[in-house]
Amino acid sequence: MSGSSSLLDNSRYEKACDQAIAMCDGNLRSTIKALIMANEYLEAELEELQAAITAGCVPAPAQQAASDAA
């Protein structure tokens, strides 16, 4: 990774941090709690998807699902 690319990534993360903190009215503890809760939710979703795939339930491709719904 080049230096400028790394700088852009860092800037993106800094902006995301600022936004998360602002959404929690500047309360850092609330911000951390919200991020932990979001991470736990995503981990649970991932586990469900992995279990479904293991069981042979594979979702239809997005384009196919959209045309089937029409």
Side-chain angles (χ1 to χ4, degrees):
M1 193 183 282
S2 72
S4 64
S5 176
S6 160
L7 241 154
L8 291 175
D9 285 345
N10 190 47
S11 173
R12 188 183 93 194
Y13 292 127
E14 290 293 329
K15 184 176 180 180
C17 286
D18 291 342
Q19 289 173 340
I21 293 166
M23 288 173 62
C24 293
D25 297 322
N27 185 316
L28 297 180
R29 185 174 186 83
S30 292
T31 304
I32 293 168
K33 183 178 177 182
L35 293 171
I36 290 169
M37 291 170 68
N39 191 56
E40 287 177 347
Y41 172 80
L42 292 172
E43 287 175 348
E45 287 286 307
L46 179 59
E47 286 176 14
E48 286 181 29
L49 287 170
Q50 289 172 330
I53 290 169
T54 299
C57 300
V58 179
Q63 291 176 339
Q64 183 65 36
S67 64
D68 288 348

Short mmCIF file of all heavy atoms in Angstrom, two decimals:
data_model
loop_
_atom_site.label_atom_id
_atom_site.label_comp_id
_atom_site.label_asym_id
_atom_site.label_seq_id
_atom_site.Cartn_x
_atom_site.Cartn_y
_atom_site.Cartn_z
N MET A 1 0.84 -1.18 0.00
CA MET A 1 0.00 0.00 0.00
C MET A 1 0.88 1.23 0.00
O MET A 1 1.82 1.34 0.76
CB MET A 1 -0.91 -0.03 1.23
CG MET A 1 -2.02 0.96 1.15
SD MET A 1 -3.05 1.01 2.63
CE MET A 1 -4.07 -0.42 2.40
N SER A 2 0.55 2.19 -0.85
CA SER A 2 1.36 3.40 -0.92
C SER A 2 1.03 4.33 0.23
O SER A 2 0.00 4.22 0.87
CB SER A 2 1.12 4.10 -2.27
OG SER A 2 -0.17 4.68 -2.27
N GLY A 3 1.89 5.28 0.46
CA GLY A 3 1.70 6.23 1.54
C GLY A 3 0.44 7.06 1.40
O GLY A 3 -0.28 7.28 2.35
N SER A 4 0.14 7.54 0.17
CA SER A 4 -1.05 8.37 -0.03
C SER A 4 -2.32 7.55 0.13
O SER A 4 -3.32 8.03 0.66
CB SER A 4 -1.01 9.05 -1.40
OG SER A 4 -1.06 8.08 -2.42
N SER A 5 -2.30 6.30 -0.30
CA SER A 5 -3.47 5.44 -0.15
C SER A 5 -3.74 5.19 1.33
O SER A 5 -4.88 5.21 1.78
CB SER A 5 -3.23 4.11 -0.87
OG SER A 5 -4.31 3.25 -0.64
N SER A 6 -2.68 4.97 2.09
CA SER A 6 -2.80 4.77 3.53
C SER A 6 -3.36 6.02 4.20
O SER A 6 -4.17 5.93 5.11
CB SER A 6 -1.43 4.41 4.09
OG SER A 6 -1.36 4.64 5.45
N LEU A 7 -2.95 7.19 3.74
CA LEU A 7 -3.44 8.45 4.28
C LEU A 7 -4.92 8.62 4.02
O LEU A 7 -5.68 9.05 4.89
CB LEU A 7 -2.67 9.61 3.64
CG LEU A 7 -1.87 10.47 4.60
CD1 LEU A 7 -0.72 11.13 3.90
CD2 LEU A 7 -2.76 11.47 5.27
N LEU A 8 -5.38 8.23 2.82
CA LEU A 8 -6.80 8.33 2.49
C LEU A 8 -7.62 7.40 3.37
O LEU A 8 -8.70 7.75 3.83
CB LEU A 8 -7.03 8.01 1.02
CG LEU A 8 -6.49 9.03 0.02
CD1 LEU A 8 -6.67 8.53 -1.41
CD2 LEU A 8 -7.17 10.37 0.21
N ASP A 9 -7.11 6.18 3.59
CA ASP A 9 -7.81 5.23 4.46
C ASP A 9 -7.92 5.80 5.86
O ASP A 9 -8.97 5.72 6.48
CB ASP A 9 -7.08 3.89 4.50
CG ASP A 9 -7.27 3.08 3.23
OD1 ASP A 9 -8.17 3.41 2.44
OD2 ASP A 9 -6.51 2.13 3.03
N ASN A 10 -6.85 6.36 6.36
CA ASN A 10 -6.85 6.93 7.70
C ASN A 10 -7.85 8.07 7.80
O ASN A 10 -8.60 8.17 8.77
CB ASN A 10 -5.45 7.41 8.10
CG ASN A 10 -5.38 7.77 9.56
OD1 ASN A 10 -5.85 7.03 10.42
ND2 ASN A 10 -4.81 8.93 9.85
N SER A 11 -7.92 8.90 6.78
CA SER A 11 -8.86 10.02 6.76
C SER A 11 -10.29 9.51 6.78
O SER A 11 -11.14 10.06 7.48
CB SER A 11 -8.62 10.86 5.51
OG SER A 11 -9.60 11.85 5.40
N ARG A 12 -10.55 8.45 6.05
CA ARG A 12 -11.88 7.84 6.02
C ARG A 12 -12.27 7.34 7.40
O ARG A 12 -13.40 7.54 7.86
CB ARG A 12 -11.89 6.70 5.01
CG ARG A 12 -13.27 6.14 4.76
CD ARG A 12 -13.22 4.99 3.81
NE ARG A 12 -13.11 3.80 4.65
CZ ARG A 12 -12.79 2.61 4.23
NH1 ARG A 12 -12.47 2.41 2.98
NH2 ARG A 12 -12.75 1.58 5.04
N TYR A 13 -11.34 6.70 8.08
CA TYR A 13 -11.61 6.18 9.42
C TYR A 13 -11.79 7.31 10.43
O TYR A 13 -12.62 7.23 11.32
CB TYR A 13 -10.52 5.21 9.88
CG TYR A 13 -10.51 3.93 9.09
CD1 TYR A 13 -9.35 3.47 8.48
CD2 TYR A 13 -11.67 3.17 8.93
CE1 TYR A 13 -9.35 2.29 7.74
CE2 TYR A 13 -11.68 2.00 8.21
CZ TYR A 13 -10.51 1.56 7.61
OH TYR A 13 -10.52 0.39 6.89
N GLU A 14 -11.00 8.35 10.29
CA GLU A 14 -11.15 9.50 11.18
C GLU A 14 -12.53 10.12 11.02
O GLU A 14 -13.20 10.44 12.01
CB GLU A 14 -10.06 10.55 10.89
CG GLU A 14 -8.67 10.14 11.31
CD GLU A 14 -8.50 10.00 12.82
OE1 GLU A 14 -9.19 10.74 13.57
OE2 GLU A 14 -7.72 9.15 13.25
N LYS A 15 -12.98 10.26 9.77
CA LYS A 15 -14.30 10.82 9.51
C LYS A 15 -15.38 9.90 10.08
O LYS A 15 -16.34 10.38 10.68
CB LYS A 15 -14.50 11.00 8.00
CG LYS A 15 -15.80 11.65 7.64
CD LYS A 15 -15.91 11.89 6.15
CE LYS A 15 -17.23 12.56 5.81
NZ LYS A 15 -17.37 12.80 4.37
N ALA A 16 -15.24 8.60 9.90
CA ALA A 16 -16.21 7.64 10.44
C ALA A 16 -16.26 7.72 11.96
O ALA A 16 -17.35 7.66 12.56
CB ALA A 16 -15.88 6.23 9.98
N CYS A 17 -15.11 7.86 12.59
CA CYS A 17 -15.06 8.00 14.05
C CYS A 17 -15.78 9.27 14.49
O CYS A 17 -16.58 9.24 15.43
CB CYS A 17 -13.61 8.04 14.55
SG CYS A 17 -12.79 6.46 14.52
N ASP A 18 -15.50 10.36 13.82
CA ASP A 18 -16.16 11.63 14.14
C ASP A 18 -17.67 11.52 14.01
O ASP A 18 -18.42 12.01 14.86
CB ASP A 18 -15.64 12.76 13.25
CG ASP A 18 -14.19 13.14 13.54
OD1 ASP A 18 -13.69 12.80 14.63
OD2 ASP A 18 -13.58 13.78 12.67
N GLN A 19 -18.13 10.84 12.95
CA GLN A 19 -19.56 10.68 12.74
C GLN A 19 -20.19 9.82 13.83
O GLN A 19 -21.27 10.12 14.34
CB GLN A 19 -19.83 10.07 11.36
CG GLN A 19 -19.54 11.02 10.22
CD GLN A 19 -19.66 10.35 8.87
OE1 GLN A 19 -19.60 9.14 8.75
NE2 GLN A 19 -19.81 11.17 7.83
N ALA A 20 -19.52 8.72 14.19
CA ALA A 20 -20.05 7.83 15.24
C ALA A 20 -20.15 8.57 16.57
O ALA A 20 -21.15 8.46 17.28
CB ALA A 20 -19.17 6.59 15.36
N ILE A 21 -19.12 9.32 16.89
CA ILE A 21 -19.11 10.08 18.16
C ILE A 21 -20.21 11.13 18.14
O ILE A 21 -20.93 11.31 19.12
CB ILE A 21 -17.72 10.71 18.41
CG1 ILE A 21 -16.69 9.60 18.68
CG2 ILE A 21 -17.77 11.69 19.57
CD1 ILE A 21 -15.25 10.05 18.62
N ALA A 22 -20.39 11.81 17.01
CA ALA A 22 -21.43 12.83 16.89
C ALA A 22 -22.82 12.22 17.05
O ALA A 22 -23.70 12.81 17.68
CB ALA A 22 -21.32 13.56 15.55
N MET A 23 -23.01 11.02 16.50
CA MET A 23 -24.31 10.34 16.62
C MET A 23 -24.63 10.00 18.07
O MET A 23 -25.79 9.83 18.43
CB MET A 23 -24.32 9.08 15.76
CG MET A 23 -24.38 9.38 14.27
SD MET A 23 -24.19 7.92 13.23
CE MET A 23 -25.62 6.97 13.70
N CYS A 24 -23.60 9.88 18.89
CA CYS A 24 -23.79 9.58 20.32
C CYS A 24 -23.60 10.84 21.16
O CYS A 24 -23.23 10.76 22.34
CB CYS A 24 -22.83 8.47 20.75
SG CYS A 24 -23.24 6.88 19.99
N ASP A 25 -23.82 11.99 20.56
CA ASP A 25 -23.74 13.28 21.25
C ASP A 25 -22.41 13.50 21.97
O ASP A 25 -22.38 14.09 23.05
CB ASP A 25 -24.90 13.45 22.24
CG ASP A 25 -26.25 13.46 21.54
OD1 ASP A 25 -26.34 14.05 20.44
OD2 ASP A 25 -27.21 12.89 22.09
N GLY A 26 -21.34 12.99 21.40
CA GLY A 26 -20.00 13.21 21.96
C GLY A 26 -19.65 12.29 23.11
O GLY A 26 -18.56 12.38 23.66
N ASN A 27 -20.55 11.39 23.48
CA ASN A 27 -20.30 10.48 24.60
C ASN A 27 -19.51 9.28 24.09
O ASN A 27 -20.04 8.43 23.38
CB ASN A 27 -21.64 10.04 25.21
CG ASN A 27 -21.46 9.20 26.44
OD1 ASN A 27 -20.62 8.31 26.49
ND2 ASN A 27 -22.29 9.47 27.44
N LEU A 28 -18.23 9.23 24.47
CA LEU A 28 -17.36 8.17 23.96
C LEU A 28 -17.77 6.79 24.44
O LEU A 28 -17.69 5.82 23.69
CB LEU A 28 -15.90 8.46 24.34
CG LEU A 28 -15.31 9.74 23.75
CD1 LEU A 28 -13.86 9.90 24.19
CD2 LEU A 28 -15.41 9.74 22.24
N ARG A 29 -18.23 6.69 25.68
CA ARG A 29 -18.66 5.39 26.21
C ARG A 29 -19.86 4.87 25.42
O ARG A 29 -19.92 3.70 25.05
CB ARG A 29 -18.99 5.50 27.69
CG ARG A 29 -19.32 4.16 28.32
CD ARG A 29 -19.48 4.31 29.84
NE ARG A 29 -19.65 3.02 30.46
CZ ARG A 29 -18.67 2.19 30.79
NH1 ARG A 29 -17.42 2.54 30.58
NH2 ARG A 29 -18.93 1.03 31.35
N SER A 30 -20.82 5.75 25.13
CA SER A 30 -21.98 5.36 24.34
C SER A 30 -21.58 4.96 22.92
O SER A 30 -22.15 4.04 22.34
CB SER A 30 -23.00 6.50 24.28
OG SER A 30 -23.56 6.72 25.55
N THR A 31 -20.61 5.66 22.37
CA THR A 31 -20.12 5.36 21.04
C THR A 31 -19.52 3.96 21.00
O THR A 31 -19.83 3.16 20.11
CB THR A 31 -19.07 6.39 20.58
OG1 THR A 31 -19.64 7.70 20.65
CG2 THR A 31 -18.60 6.11 19.16
N ILE A 32 -18.67 3.66 21.97
CA ILE A 32 -18.04 2.34 22.02
C ILE A 32 -19.10 1.26 22.20
O ILE A 32 -19.08 0.22 21.54
CB ILE A 32 -16.98 2.28 23.13
CG1 ILE A 32 -15.81 3.21 22.79
CG2 ILE A 32 -16.49 0.85 23.35
CD1 ILE A 32 -14.85 3.45 23.94
N LYS A 33 -20.06 1.51 23.08
CA LYS A 33 -21.13 0.54 23.33
C LYS A 33 -21.91 0.28 22.04
O LYS A 33 -22.21 -0.87 21.70
CB LYS A 33 -22.06 1.06 24.43
CG LYS A 33 -23.15 0.11 24.81
CD LYS A 33 -23.99 0.69 25.94
CE LYS A 33 -25.15 -0.21 26.31
NZ LYS A 33 -25.97 0.38 27.37
N ALA A 34 -22.26 1.34 21.32
CA ALA A 34 -23.00 1.19 20.07
C ALA A 34 -22.21 0.39 19.04
O ALA A 34 -22.77 -0.47 18.34
CB ALA A 34 -23.37 2.57 19.51
N LEU A 35 -20.92 0.64 18.96
CA LEU A 35 -20.09 -0.09 18.00
C LEU A 35 -19.96 -1.57 18.38
O LEU A 35 -19.98 -2.44 17.51
CB LEU A 35 -18.71 0.57 17.89
CG LEU A 35 -18.72 1.96 17.25
CD1 LEU A 35 -17.35 2.61 17.38
CD2 LEU A 35 -19.16 1.89 15.80
N ILE A 36 -19.86 -1.85 19.66
CA ILE A 36 -19.80 -3.25 20.12
C ILE A 36 -21.12 -3.95 19.78
O ILE A 36 -21.12 -5.09 19.30
CB ILE A 36 -19.50 -3.32 21.63
CG1 ILE A 36 -18.05 -2.88 21.90
CG2 ILE A 36 -19.75 -4.73 22.17
CD1 ILE A 36 -17.74 -2.67 23.37
N MET A 37 -22.23 -3.27 20.03
CA MET A 37 -23.54 -3.86 19.74
C MET A 37 -23.70 -4.12 18.24
O MET A 37 -24.20 -5.18 17.83
CB MET A 37 -24.65 -2.95 20.24
CG MET A 37 -24.72 -2.88 21.76
SD MET A 37 -25.83 -1.60 22.37
CE MET A 37 -27.41 -2.25 21.86
N ALA A 38 -23.27 -3.18 17.43
CA ALA A 38 -23.35 -3.35 15.97
C ALA A 38 -22.48 -4.51 15.52
O ALA A 38 -22.89 -5.32 14.67
CB ALA A 38 -22.93 -2.06 15.26
N ASN A 39 -21.29 -4.63 16.11
CA ASN A 39 -20.40 -5.72 15.76
C ASN A 39 -21.00 -7.07 16.14
O ASN A 39 -20.95 -8.03 15.37
CB ASN A 39 -19.04 -5.53 16.45
CG ASN A 39 -18.00 -6.46 15.91
OD1 ASN A 39 -17.74 -6.49 14.71
ND2 ASN A 39 -17.40 -7.25 16.79
N GLU A 40 -21.61 -7.15 17.34
CA GLU A 40 -22.25 -8.39 17.77
C GLU A 40 -23.39 -8.78 16.84
O GLU A 40 -23.57 -9.94 16.51
CB GLU A 40 -22.76 -8.27 19.21
CG GLU A 40 -21.64 -8.28 20.23
CD GLU A 40 -22.13 -8.08 21.66
OE1 GLU A 40 -23.30 -7.67 21.86
OE2 GLU A 40 -21.32 -8.31 22.58
N TYR A 41 -24.16 -7.79 16.40
CA TYR A 41 -25.25 -8.04 15.47
C TYR A 41 -24.71 -8.61 14.16
O TYR A 41 -25.23 -9.61 13.64
CB TYR A 41 -26.04 -6.76 15.21
CG TYR A 41 -27.06 -6.90 14.12
CD1 TYR A 41 -28.29 -7.50 14.37
CD2 TYR A 41 -26.79 -6.46 12.83
CE1 TYR A 41 -29.22 -7.66 13.36
CE2 TYR A 41 -27.72 -6.62 11.81
CZ TYR A 41 -28.94 -7.22 12.08
OH TYR A 41 -29.85 -7.37 11.07
N LEU A 42 -23.67 -7.99 13.63
CA LEU A 42 -23.08 -8.46 12.38
C LEU A 42 -22.48 -9.86 12.52
O LEU A 42 -22.59 -10.68 11.61
CB LEU A 42 -22.03 -7.46 11.88
CG LEU A 42 -22.59 -6.12 11.43
CD1 LEU A 42 -21.44 -5.14 11.15
CD2 LEU A 42 -23.48 -6.28 10.21
N GLU A 43 -21.87 -10.14 13.67
CA GLU A 43 -21.32 -11.48 13.91
C GLU A 43 -22.44 -12.52 13.93
O GLU A 43 -22.29 -13.61 13.37
CB GLU A 43 -20.54 -11.51 15.22
CG GLU A 43 -19.20 -10.81 15.15
CD GLU A 43 -18.47 -10.75 16.48
OE1 GLU A 43 -19.09 -11.05 17.53
OE2 GLU A 43 -17.28 -10.41 16.48
N ALA A 44 -23.57 -12.18 14.55
CA ALA A 44 -24.71 -13.11 14.59
C ALA A 44 -25.27 -13.33 13.18
O ALA A 44 -25.60 -14.47 12.82
CB ALA A 44 -25.80 -12.56 15.51
N GLU A 45 -25.36 -12.27 12.39
CA GLU A 45 -25.83 -12.40 11.01
C GLU A 45 -24.89 -13.30 10.21
O GLU A 45 -25.34 -14.14 9.44
CB GLU A 45 -25.90 -11.01 10.35
CG GLU A 45 -27.04 -10.16 10.82
CD GLU A 45 -28.37 -10.62 10.26
OE1 GLU A 45 -28.50 -10.77 9.04
OE2 GLU A 45 -29.29 -10.85 11.08
N LEU A 46 -23.61 -13.12 10.39
CA LEU A 46 -22.62 -13.93 9.69
C LEU A 46 -22.76 -15.39 10.06
O LEU A 46 -22.74 -16.28 9.20
CB LEU A 46 -21.21 -13.42 9.99
CG LEU A 46 -20.06 -14.19 9.33
CD1 LEU A 46 -20.19 -14.18 7.81
CD2 LEU A 46 -18.73 -13.61 9.76
N GLU A 47 -22.94 -15.67 11.36
CA GLU A 47 -23.11 -17.05 11.81
C GLU A 47 -24.36 -17.67 11.18
O GLU A 47 -24.33 -18.83 10.76
CB GLU A 47 -23.21 -17.11 13.33
CG GLU A 47 -21.88 -16.88 14.03
CD GLU A 47 -22.00 -16.85 15.55
OE1 GLU A 47 -23.06 -17.26 16.08
OE2 GLU A 47 -21.04 -16.41 16.20
N GLU A 48 -25.45 -16.91 11.11
CA GLU A 48 -26.67 -17.42 10.48
C GLU A 48 -26.45 -17.72 9.00
O GLU A 48 -26.91 -18.75 8.50
CB GLU A 48 -27.81 -16.41 10.64
CG GLU A 48 -28.38 -16.34 12.03
CD GLU A 48 -29.53 -15.35 12.13
OE1 GLU A 48 -30.25 -15.14 11.13
OE2 GLU A 48 -29.71 -14.79 13.23
N LEU A 49 -25.78 -16.84 8.31
CA LEU A 49 -25.50 -17.06 6.89
C LEU A 49 -24.60 -18.27 6.69
O LEU A 49 -24.83 -19.07 5.78
CB LEU A 49 -24.85 -15.81 6.27
CG LEU A 49 -25.78 -14.63 6.06
CD1 LEU A 49 -24.98 -13.40 5.67
CD2 LEU A 49 -26.82 -14.94 5.00
N GLN A 50 -23.58 -18.41 7.54
CA GLN A 50 -22.69 -19.57 7.43
C GLN A 50 -23.46 -20.86 7.68
O GLN A 50 -23.25 -21.86 6.99
CB GLN A 50 -21.52 -19.43 8.40
CG GLN A 50 -20.53 -18.36 7.96
CD GLN A 50 -19.45 -18.08 9.01
OE1 GLN A 50 -19.68 -18.22 10.20
NE2 GLN A 50 -18.29 -17.66 8.54
N ALA A 51 -24.37 -20.86 8.67
CA ALA A 51 -25.17 -22.05 8.96
C ALA A 51 -26.08 -22.38 7.79
O ALA A 51 -26.25 -23.55 7.43
CB ALA A 51 -25.98 -21.83 10.23
N ALA A 52 -26.67 -21.35 7.19
CA ALA A 52 -27.56 -21.58 6.04
C ALA A 52 -26.79 -22.16 4.86
O ALA A 52 -27.26 -23.08 4.19
CB ALA A 52 -28.24 -20.27 5.64
N ILE A 53 -25.61 -21.64 4.62
CA ILE A 53 -24.80 -22.15 3.51
C ILE A 53 -24.39 -23.59 3.78
O ILE A 53 -24.46 -24.45 2.90
CB ILE A 53 -23.57 -21.24 3.28
CG1 ILE A 53 -24.03 -19.90 2.70
CG2 ILE A 53 -22.56 -21.91 2.36
CD1 ILE A 53 -22.96 -18.83 2.67
N THR A 54 -24.00 -23.88 5.02
CA THR A 54 -23.62 -25.24 5.40
C THR A 54 -24.79 -26.20 5.20
O THR A 54 -24.61 -27.34 4.78
CB THR A 54 -23.14 -25.29 6.87
OG1 THR A 54 -22.00 -24.43 6.99
CG2 THR A 54 -22.77 -26.68 7.30
N ALA A 55 -26.01 -25.72 5.46
CA ALA A 55 -27.20 -26.55 5.31
C ALA A 55 -27.65 -26.65 3.85
O ALA A 55 -28.60 -27.34 3.53
CB ALA A 55 -28.33 -25.98 6.16
N GLY A 56 -26.95 -25.95 2.96
CA GLY A 56 -27.26 -26.02 1.53
C GLY A 56 -28.23 -24.97 1.05
O GLY A 56 -28.68 -25.01 -0.09
N CYS A 57 -28.57 -24.03 1.89
CA CYS A 57 -29.45 -22.93 1.49
C CYS A 57 -28.60 -21.81 0.91
O CYS A 57 -27.98 -21.06 1.65
CB CYS A 57 -30.25 -22.41 2.68
SG CYS A 57 -31.29 -23.65 3.43
N VAL A 58 -28.59 -21.72 -0.40
CA VAL A 58 -27.79 -20.68 -1.05
C VAL A 58 -28.75 -19.67 -1.66
O VAL A 58 -29.65 -20.05 -2.42
CB VAL A 58 -26.89 -21.30 -2.14
CG1 VAL A 58 -26.07 -20.23 -2.84
CG2 VAL A 58 -26.00 -22.37 -1.54
N PRO A 59 -28.61 -18.39 -1.32
CA PRO A 59 -29.53 -17.39 -1.87
C PRO A 59 -29.37 -17.25 -3.38
O PRO A 59 -28.29 -17.47 -3.92
CB PRO A 59 -29.12 -16.10 -1.16
CG PRO A 59 -27.76 -16.34 -0.65
CD PRO A 59 -27.60 -17.82 -0.46
N ALA A 60 -30.48 -16.92 -4.04
CA ALA A 60 -30.44 -16.69 -5.48
C ALA A 60 -29.63 -15.43 -5.75
O ALA A 60 -29.61 -14.52 -4.92
CB ALA A 60 -31.86 -16.52 -6.01
N PRO A 61 -28.97 -15.37 -6.89
CA PRO A 61 -28.27 -14.13 -7.25
C PRO A 61 -29.25 -12.97 -7.26
O PRO A 61 -30.43 -13.15 -7.56
CB PRO A 61 -27.73 -14.42 -8.66
CG PRO A 61 -27.71 -15.90 -8.77
CD PRO A 61 -28.81 -16.40 -7.89
N ALA A 62 -28.79 -11.78 -6.95
CA ALA A 62 -29.65 -10.60 -6.81
C ALA A 62 -30.48 -10.35 -8.06
O ALA A 62 -31.66 -10.07 -7.99
CB ALA A 62 -28.81 -9.38 -6.47
N GLN A 63 -29.89 -10.47 -9.23
CA GLN A 63 -30.63 -10.22 -10.48
C GLN A 63 -31.74 -11.25 -10.66
O GLN A 63 -32.84 -10.93 -11.06
CB GLN A 63 -29.69 -10.24 -11.67
CG GLN A 63 -28.74 -9.07 -11.70
CD GLN A 63 -27.75 -9.16 -12.86
OE1 GLN A 63 -27.51 -10.23 -13.40
NE2 GLN A 63 -27.18 -8.02 -13.21
N GLN A 64 -31.47 -12.50 -10.37
CA GLN A 64 -32.46 -13.55 -10.51
C GLN A 64 -33.61 -13.34 -9.54
O GLN A 64 -34.78 -13.45 -9.90
CB GLN A 64 -31.83 -14.92 -10.27
CG GLN A 64 -32.78 -16.08 -10.48
CD GLN A 64 -33.26 -16.24 -11.92
OE1 GLN A 64 -32.48 -16.00 -12.84
NE2 GLN A 64 -34.50 -16.58 -12.11
N ALA A 65 -33.30 -13.00 -8.31
CA ALA A 65 -34.32 -12.77 -7.29
C ALA A 65 -35.21 -11.60 -7.70
O ALA A 65 -36.43 -11.64 -7.51
CB ALA A 65 -33.69 -12.53 -5.94
N ALA A 66 -34.63 -10.55 -8.25
CA ALA A 66 -35.39 -9.36 -8.65
C ALA A 66 -36.33 -9.71 -9.82
O ALA A 66 -37.49 -9.30 -9.83
CB ALA A 66 -34.45 -8.24 -9.04
N SER A 67 -35.87 -10.50 -10.77
CA SER A 67 -36.72 -10.83 -11.91
C SER A 67 -37.81 -11.82 -11.51
O SER A 67 -38.91 -11.82 -12.03
CB SER A 67 -35.89 -11.39 -13.08
OG SER A 67 -35.30 -12.62 -12.70
N ASP A 68 -37.54 -12.67 -10.51
CA ASP A 68 -38.55 -13.61 -10.02
C ASP A 68 -39.66 -12.87 -9.30
O ASP A 68 -40.82 -13.29 -9.34
CB ASP A 68 -37.91 -14.63 -9.04
CG ASP A 68 -37.04 -15.64 -9.76
OD1 ASP A 68 -37.09 -15.70 -11.01
OD2 ASP A 68 -36.29 -16.36 -9.07
N ALA A 69 -39.33 -11.77 -8.64
CA ALA A 69 -40.31 -11.01 -7.89
C ALA A 69 -41.24 -10.22 -8.80
O ALA A 69 -42.33 -9.86 -8.42
CB ALA A 69 -39.61 -10.06 -6.91
N ALA A 70 -40.80 -9.95 -10.02
CA ALA A 70 -41.59 -9.13 -10.95
C ALA A 70 -42.74 -9.86 -11.55
O ALA A 70 -43.11 -10.90 -11.46
CB ALA A 70 -40.70 -8.62 -12.07
#
